[in-house]
Amino acid sequence: MKIKEIFTTMDYGPALESKAEALAWLAQHDNLVGHFIGGKWTPARDDFATTNPATGEKLAGVTKGTSADIAVAVAAARKAQPAWAKSGHKRARVLYAIARLMQKHARLLAVMETLDNGKPIREARDIDVPLAIRHFYHHAGFAQLMQDELPDRAALGVCGQIIPWNFPLLMLAWKIAPALAMGNTVVLKPAEYTPLTAMVFADICMQAGVPAGVVNIVMGDGETGAALVAADVDKIAFTGSTDVGRKIREATAGTGKALSLELGGKSPYIVFDDADMDSAVEGLVDAIWFNQGQVCCAGSRLLVQEGIADRFYAKLKARMDGLRIGDPLDKCIDIGAIVDPVQLAQITAMVSANAEGETYQITAPEGCFYPPTLITGLSPASHLMQEEIFGPVLVATTFRTPAEAVEIANNTRYGLAASVWSENINLALDIAPKLVAGIVWINGTNMMDAAAGFGGLRESGFGREGGWEGLAGYTRPKASAKPIKRITAFASSDSSPADPLDRTTKLYIGGKQTRPDGGYSRAVFNPRGKLLGHVSEANRKDLRNAVEAMNAAKGWSKSTGHLRAQILYYIAENLSARGDELAKRLKDLTGKSGTAEVEQTIRALFTFAAWADKYDGKVHGVPIRGVALAMHEAVGNIAVFCGEATPLLGLVTPMAAAISMGNRVTLVTSAPFPLIVAEIYQILETSDLPAGVVNILTGDHSDLAGHAAKHHDIDAVWSFSGADISATIEKGSASNLKRTWVNNGTALTPTARDWLAAATEVKNIWIPYGE
Ligand code: NAI
């Protein structure tokens, strides 16, 4: 082409990045990928191929890890862990060395990522690799600070980590950096489509002086992943599809393994009529066409205010026409290849099956490419508006009012991220707290950083990665947990009452004492076998009524911390006034003096009253022209299965922690000592607590736990009851992936901050700020 022609057409010339070095690196390794275990490569096999999706050429043969390989890797990690956990400063130096070496090999990593995944080299070079490096720098800092800033926390031990193919190196960094910083060792399984940058990373670990066994990488597919889930690890950290996340939740239920799940999304991208439209259009390029839309937090659901919809769609289509799609190694390319023909077929099938709305597509080259697509005029309930497509397909609908925008935005089973576009700061900051999402970007999209927690709600999973909040997921309290001593209720065949005025307690639902639906009650005896009274046996219907009462009390979450503190102090005051009576009652129930327990209960109420208006969020210094506000929000409706030993303290502490943060709670009383309920509801009735904020049930834990875990309007379930109850809850929770906090049969000793963390979700709101 002549210079004159170039000036006439103003066409881009291809600017191809060389793949020679990356291919040479693979050739040095015989184009075979083995496992990296105990600081060494294992003999590699060609069990399956990893290919360049843009060309279909085979890049390397990959070894599929077996259960035996996983066991060897876990053993290596186990052996290395105690020494690794010893010195935060040593860990900081190693993490820093990794970051420096990644910088030195940045281009190799970027090209390898593009070859293996098909993403544009511009993205691999400017986003994936720098962000991965930043993660190691940032967490080198956390390793250094752990001893001073987290003195009560210890490493979990060995962490099994399973990552997807959409950001192979970045996800590896998100998983490995915090785990290592906190003194854990890891066994990581990369995705089957994209093992190559993990292999380069293993090489970097050797150069950086990572002690043998601290980082282990086992290659393989879903079966290898399942073997890792089943192995003797202390935690599973998973990023991937919601379906596999659910399987992992079920597989780990009751095992005591910690779990974090970062799953799918269908994140809304809301454009108000006062938005800067050109910026919002440009934002969409990053929201849905970044990485071919294969991004869990992709802004894949466009919601546009009706009055500007036609103009906005026209601008968007014009912008789409300018997108360049093709060879990912070309530095001028916006859209690269889809990761694999299997994924391409899935996207194609989903879009072809849709008959609704209007579809606009630009053309894509032959091969493993999918054209950027816009589908407008879909109804909020349409399949494509609800299901994750995980491709460059944007679906759109319109809304009329801000309230309607919120309603449509939240009409999804996911809750990962959201973008809000408006030039009106009042509107944007009014909407952000109303969105059910772990991350909200204001006038921006897809921003991620090591300093800000990333993660979602609902079926987008639980746990956060990054920032201070991400560290909790890789640590446990220092004090080691002891098994709880189970207590069985006192029994007797003598049904003559100890007190002639035997009582039958009711349930406490929606601020009222209510009879149980089933009409059953159970006798409660004192230690000498005398009948103390009867308690109602709550069933599934009573639990549902309690959930309805919690739903009706949603206003509590909007009340001020100051008000919640006042009410908690007032409950403490009322409880204190009846202290002697309560202590005596505890003695009747348990046979042990209740004086200390009453005192501790009043302290617990004071503690959470104190915290109600002090558990502040954070302002993360993220490297954009802005800040990320990490706001604490109430989790929502929490069901609690109270511990056995201390019926009063074990009921009031979770209650106080939950309601101090604005949650509504349904408590199921201590299994052996349920009769305490009578005293409690009398106190609550005189406490100014709005109806439905606290509900109390008595009944069989195993029956109610299953129902609570599966109930879709319960956002979290806590259990301090027996190990069997923990397992039931974790297993049942897989249905909607609700948050669980269970003791797995050990005596938890949470600090006030542990309680508060369980009672809150962190929402990171990214706000443009300053210059
Ligand atoms: P996937 O969830 O099957 O794979 C993710 C990782 O989990 C891979 O390393 C895989 O080997 C492993 N894995 C698969 N089955 C497993 C099991 N039973 N136990 C343990 N590990 C297992 O995702 P896949 O098949 O690659 O993609 C399917 C769909 O998932 C995509 O179309 C997309 O919708 C979604 N996805 C979402 C991601 C996200 O970040 N939210 C990432 C990747 C995929």
Side-chain angles (χ1 to χ4, degrees):
M1 190 185 273
K2 294 201 172 103
I3 300 285
K4 184 167 180 258
E5 282 167 355
I6 293 175
F7 272 107
T8 315
T9 61
M10 287 303 278
D11 229 3
Y12 290 103
L16 278 184
E17 175 79 24
S18 166
K19 57 185 173 185
E21 290 221 12
L23 294 182
W25 192 93
L26 288 173
Q28 274 166 26
H29 292 80
D30 302 325
N31 291 83
L32 281 178
V33 188
H35 313 312
F36 181 70
I37 297 177
K40 290 198 280 288
W41 291 106
T42 62
R45 288 188 307 269
D46 188 358
D47 292 334
F48 61 89
T50 184
T51 56
N52 175 349
T55 60
E57 78 190 288
K58 177 173 171 179
L59 295 167
V62 187
T63 316
K64 178 176 157 168
T66 60
S67 297
D69 296 327
I70 293 280
V72 177
V74 171
R78 186 71 68 200
K79 191 166 161 219
Q81 200 267 328
W84 178 246
K86 266 194 188 132
S87 163
H89 176 63
K90 276 196 189 139
R91 294 199 299 277
R93 291 175 91 127
V94 171
L95 288 170
Y96 173 75
I98 293 175
R100 289 288 289 132
L101 279 156
M102 285 173 81
Q103 270 177 326
K104 289 181 204 174
H105 298 296
R107 205 70 173 202
L108 173 65
L109 285 165
V111 176
M112 196 70 91
E113 198 74 311
T114 286
L115 283 175
D116 208 13
N117 168 280
K119 62 175 68 206
I121 183 69
R122 208 158 38 87
E123 291 179 8
R125 183 196 62 194
D126 299 346
I127 298 170
D128 294 51
V129 174
L131 270 181
I133 294 169
R134 166 143 170 83
H135 235 75
F136 280 97
Y137 275 123
H138 194 73
H139 284 86
F142 281 135
Q144 177 69 30
L145 297 178
M146 184 180 181
Q147 197 178 349
D148 291 339
E149 298 301 318
L150 302 166
D152 302 328
R153 310 292 296 180
L156 290 169
V158 177
C159 299
Q161 306 183 313
I162 300 170
I163 56 172
W165 41 259
N166 52 350
F167 294 94
L169 182 71
L170 185 58
M171 289 301 111
L172 172 149
W174 279 23
K175 295 276 181 282
I176 292 187
L180 259 46
M182 295 294 103
N184 302 279
T185 54
V186 303
V187 177
L188 176 126
K189 193 203 77 67
E192 48 272 52
Y193 297 149
T194 52
L196 296 183
T197 43
M199 188 181 175
V200 180
F201 179 80
D203 207 30
I204 285 175
C205 286
M206 289 202 252
Q207 297 174 47
V210 176
V214 167
V215 171
N216 304 277
I217 300 177
V218 179
M219 305 297 172
D221 58 8
E223 278 180 29
T224 316
L228 180 53
V229 170
D232 172 30
V233 293
D234 302 294
K235 168 175 177 133
I236 290 292
F238 173 77
T239 299
S241 61
T242 297
D243 287 346
V244 173
R246 237 188 278 283
K247 282 188 202 160
I248 295 179
R249 170 68 291 180
E250 282 183 1
T252 53
T255 61
K257 287 174 196 169
L259 179 63
S260 70
L261 296 176
E262 204 274 276
L263 310 173
K266 191 78 187 176
S267 300
Y269 188 100
I270 310 169
V271 184
F272 285 100
D273 59 8
D274 62 356
D276 172 347
M277 278 212 260
D278 292 323
S279 298
V281 165
E282 210 47 46
L284 270 173
V285 176
D286 291 335
I288 186 66
W289 292 305
F290 170 51
N291 203 25
Q292 296 69 246
Q294 303 164 128
V295 182
C296 50
C297 54
S300 52
R301 238 176 353 130
L302 171 63
L303 316 180
V304 193
Q305 198 152 14
E306 207 169 68
I308 58 159
D310 290 343
R311 265 192 307 145
F312 191 79
Y313 291 154
K315 273 179 185 280
L316 182 56
K317 287 175 186 168
R319 182 65 183 89
M320 286 170 75
D321 293 342
L323 290 172
R324 295 173 64 84
I325 167 166
D327 186 349
L329 281 174
D330 183 340
K331 281 166 261 187
C332 299
I333 282 298
D334 298 308
I335 316 260
I338 298 297
V339 71
D340 190 88
V342 171
Q343 183 67 14
L344 179 68
Q346 196 172 311
I347 300 168
T348 311
M350 280 184 86
V351 176
S352 321
N354 172 59
E356 228 190 302
E358 263 179 51
T359 302
Y360 184 79
Q361 277 186 330
I362 66 168
T363 49
E366 287 287 300
C368 202
F369 295 91
Y370 196 86
T373 302
L374 167 69
I375 308 178
T376 51
L378 291 177
S379 60
S382 115
H383 184 65
L384 290 189
M385 284 295 267
Q386 290 295 329
E387 296 305 318
E388 189 175 38
I389 303 172
F390 227 63
V393 182
L394 178 64
V395 295
T397 194
T398 56
F399 65 88
R400 267 166 284 187
T401 60
E404 196 188 2
V406 170
E407 200 167 308
I408 300 174
N410 290 343
N411 177 17
T412 162
R413 61 194 170 100
Y414 296 112
L416 190 49
S419 287
V420 179
W421 291 80
S422 167
E423 290 299 288
N424 179 349
I425 186 79
N426 297 323
L427 178 63
L429 293 183
D430 178 49
I431 297 297
K434 294 178 181 158
L435 295 170
V436 182
I439 308 146
V440 178
W441 296 293
I442 292 181
N443 293 328
T445 186
N446 268 342
M447 288 180 278
M448 303 155 203
D449 183 57
F454 185 96
L457 311 167
R458 294 183 175 166
E459 294 190 27
S460 294
F462 43 77
R464 294 288 179 273
E465 296 192 304
W468 288 99
E469 54 258 44
L471 302 180
Y474 283 102
T475 56
R476 60 168 177 80
K478 232 177 202 166
S480 56
K482 298 192 181 67
I484 43 169
K485 283 201 202 98
R486 299 303 302 273
I487 299 171
T488 35
F490 301 118
S492 173
S493 51
D494 176 4
S495 55
S496 58
D499 176 341
L501 289 179
D502 158 32
R503 291 191 284 188
T504 302
T505 61
K506 293 185 191 149
L507 308 172
Y508 185 65
I509 298 175
K512 289 197 211 76
Q513 299 183 31
T514 57
R515 283 182 207 292
D517 170 73
Y520 286 102
S521 55
R522 176 158 65 92
V524 178
F525 299 93
N526 76 8
R528 290 181 308 283
K530 281 281 175 200
L531 182 70
L532 282 174
H534 288 83
V535 286
S536 300
E537 285 284 0
N539 65 13
R540 180 184 183 168
K541 177 80 175 28
D542 299 307
L543 180 71
R544 274 199 245 141
N545 291 341
V547 173
E548 269 175 39
M550 292 195 285
N551 282 342
K554 277 191 178 149
W556 179 250
S557 302
K558 294 198 188 122
S559 62
T560 63
H562 175 68
L563 176 85
R564 298 196 293 263
Q566 299 303 296
I567 291 183
L568 283 163
Y569 282 126
Y570 192 42
I571 296 174
E573 186 185 319
N574 286 340
L575 202 136
S576 173
R578 302 176 66 160
D580 293 344
E581 189 188 325
L582 275 164
K584 181 176 170 307
R585 189 69 175 153
L586 285 169
K587 178 99 200 300
D588 290 346
L589 295 178
T590 66
K592 293 186 187 139
S593 163
T595 316
E597 189 176 334
V598 171
E599 187 52 35
Q600 281 172 299
T601 305
I602 295 169
R603 274 172 192 260
L605 283 161
F606 263 67
T607 299
F608 292 109
W611 273 116
D613 57 358
K614 296 178 191 65
Y615 190 52
D616 305 324
K618 280 197 163 61
V619 181
H620 295 307
V622 285
I624 59 153
R625 200 172 48 76
V627 292
L629 286 188
M631 305 291 295
H632 287 146
E633 290 185 346
V635 172
N637 293 340
I638 303 181
V640 182
F641 291 83
C642 298
E644 293 173 346
T646 49
L648 180 68
L649 183 65
L651 184 135
V652 172
T653 309
M655 177 197 88
I659 68 175
S660 74
M661 294 294 108
N663 300 284
R664 291 82 57 185
V665 68
T666 294
L667 302 133
V668 186
T669 57
S670 156
F673 308 123
L675 211 50
I676 194 70
V677 68
E679 274 66 28
I680 298 290
Y681 54 50
Q682 283 169 13
I683 289 165
L684 295 180
E685 270 166 356
T686 54
S687 68
D688 294 344
L689 198 62
V693 173
V694 174
N695 307 279
I696 307 178
L697 306 180
T698 47
D700 179 19
H701 283 204
S702 5
D703 177 45
L704 292 171
H707 299 312
K710 289 192 186 127
H711 198 300
H712 280 220
D713 257 359
I714 293 180
D715 302 290
V717 185
W718 300 349
S719 175
F720 312 97
S721 187
D724 50 329
I725 306 302
S726 299
T728 304
I729 289 169
E730 287 190 332
K731 203 165 194 99
S733 72
S735 67
N736 75 342
L737 292 165
K738 60 170 60 76
R739 282 177 74 160
T740 58
W741 182 31
V742 299
N743 65 358
N744 279 305
T746 59
L748 298 178
T749 47
T751 62
R753 280 185 182 274
D754 296 332
W755 283 105
L756 297 167
T760 48
E761 291 282 2
V762 180
K763 177 184 270 176
N764 273 287
I765 306 176
W766 293 61
I767 303 175
Y769 176 85
E771 289 193 311

